[in-house]
Amino acid sequence: MSAYAEIGVTTNFSFLHGGSHPQDYVHQASELRMPAIGIADRNTLAGVVRAYGELANPDVKHKPKLLIGARLVFADGTPDILAYPRDRDAYGRLCRLLTRGKLAAEKGECRLALGDLMDFADGQLLVLALPHRFETAAALKVLAHLQDSGAEGVWLAASLLYRGDERRRLARLQRLATTARVPLIATNDVLYHHPARRPLQDVLTCIRDKTTIHAVGRRLEANAERHLKPGGEMARLFRDAPEAVAETLRFADRIVFSLKQ
């Protein structure tokens, strides 16, 4: 089986977005014998605590390396960025960044701009996660800002989610990564640990959008593909870009921070 580390995990601590508990992901990653798993909730580090605690559960036979991160969601139109601190000092900077965003917003919200990240980028591994439709020039501009930020490294995320134009979009992302001189990294942009959780995630989407399952329409995910997948399946999906799957292991190896510190 091909080795693969998933870095794009959203838990139920991303309110009304994630359909699985952090503990569920730890057990599923263990069952799939994944070498590493990255928890990156929306503008919060809350989900990583439960995941870290679950690693002590004796039922978790294979213990994946837990990568501590956050999905930075910006108020200024910047695409989402996955931020993973390399070491303890960088973790402190990420905490201060999130604190700044929460102090600038109403209770329960977080207001960040790209400039805020620039102030705390030192030691962070940053992964640009573009929306399904994007403008190349704008993406190149963001990548250039990240490369000039003092970050530990910059990557471009690629996902293959069975939306009908995957091969064309992957080729476009490959060209973008080559132009920007950043590595392409694979992620399934995970919302739940197992496909059986897709109906629950649909309900969460309806609650978030204040509508019903009969009226929500195309705002639901098109399928049940956004779950943890084994390395062999990710290697099959990314057969046109095998380096993107291999990059997930190099990415995980660069992170030395753990909550035990």
Side-chain angles (χ1 to χ4, degrees):
M1 181 180 293
S2 300
Y4 169 72
E6 177 57 67
I7 65 164
V9 171
T10 297
T11 80
N12 66 321
F13 280 84
S14 294
F15 187 55
L16 298 181
H17 287 271
S20 292
H21 297 282
Q23 300 94 313
D24 297 329
Y25 286 113
V26 170
H27 284 272
Q28 187 71 357
S30 176
E31 183 174 327
L32 296 176
R33 301 192 67 79
M34 300 183 78
I37 182 174
I39 304 294
D41 279 311
R42 298 169 64 87
N43 291 340
T44 183
L45 292 160
V48 301
V49 179
R50 298 284 179 89
Y52 177 73
E54 195 63 20
L55 289 172
N57 187 329
D59 291 337
V60 180
K61 304 300 183 185
H62 168 76
K63 300 186 187 299
K65 178 180 179 180
L66 181 63
L67 310 179
I68 309 300
R71 186 184 193 105
L72 303 178
V73 181
F74 296 91
D76 63 356
T78 300
D80 292 358
I81 294 172
L82 307 181
Y84 282 91
R86 179 183 182 275
D87 53 25
R88 184 175 176 177
D89 288 343
Y91 173 75
R93 284 187 284 273
L94 180 58
C95 290
R96 293 199 296 275
L97 169 64
L98 294 173
T99 298
R100 176 189 286 185
K102 292 180 187 299
L103 289 173
E106 299 294 324
K107 184 177 180 180
E109 301 295 327
C110 185
R111 187 173 183 83
L112 291 172
L114 182 59
D116 295 315
L117 173 58
M118 298 300 100
D119 292 338
F120 299 97
D122 187 25
Q124 311 295 340
L125 283 69
L126 302 177
V127 183
L128 181 63
L130 293 170
H132 187 66
R133 300 186 186 280
F134 64 90
E135 294 182 1
T136 298
L140 285 170
K141 186 176 180 179
V142 174
L143 288 168
H145 280 304
L146 297 182
Q147 289 169 309
D148 291 338
S149 68
E152 178 72 18
V154 178
W155 288 258
L156 178 63
S159 300
L160 296 173
L161 302 175
Y162 290 100
R163 288 175 171 169
D165 60 350
E166 280 75 19
R167 306 254 74 80
R168 182 169 63 252
R169 185 173 187 273
L170 179 58
R172 190 179 176 204
L173 288 170
Q174 286 175 305
R175 291 193 297 271
L176 176 59
T178 299
T179 301
R181 297 183 178 180
V182 298
L184 196 68
I185 188 167
T187 171
N188 206 46
D189 203 6
V190 173
L191 293 176
Y192 35 84
H193 74 289
H194 188 276
R197 283 291 175 91
R198 187 263 172 95
L200 173 60
Q201 207 277 326
D202 285 351
V203 171
L204 294 175
T205 300
C206 291
I207 297 171
R208 188 176 72 240
D209 288 357
K210 298 180 174 60
T211 186
T212 67
I213 199 74
H214 302 292
V216 66
R218 293 187 178 181
R219 283 170 285 178
L220 295 180
E221 293 297 318
N223 50 53
E225 293 296 328
R226 295 182 68 173
H227 59 91
L228 283 184
K229 291 182 176 178
E233 175 64 6
M234 292 300 290
R236 185 188 69 80
L237 287 171
F238 281 87
R239 57 189 176 274
D240 294 337
E243 71 281 359
V245 174
E247 189 63 31
T248 65
L249 303 180
R250 291 190 285 269
F251 183 94
D253 285 344
R254 291 180 66 166
I255 296 174
V256 298
F257 175 69
S258 166
L259 283 183
K260 69 183 178 182
Q261 298 174 21

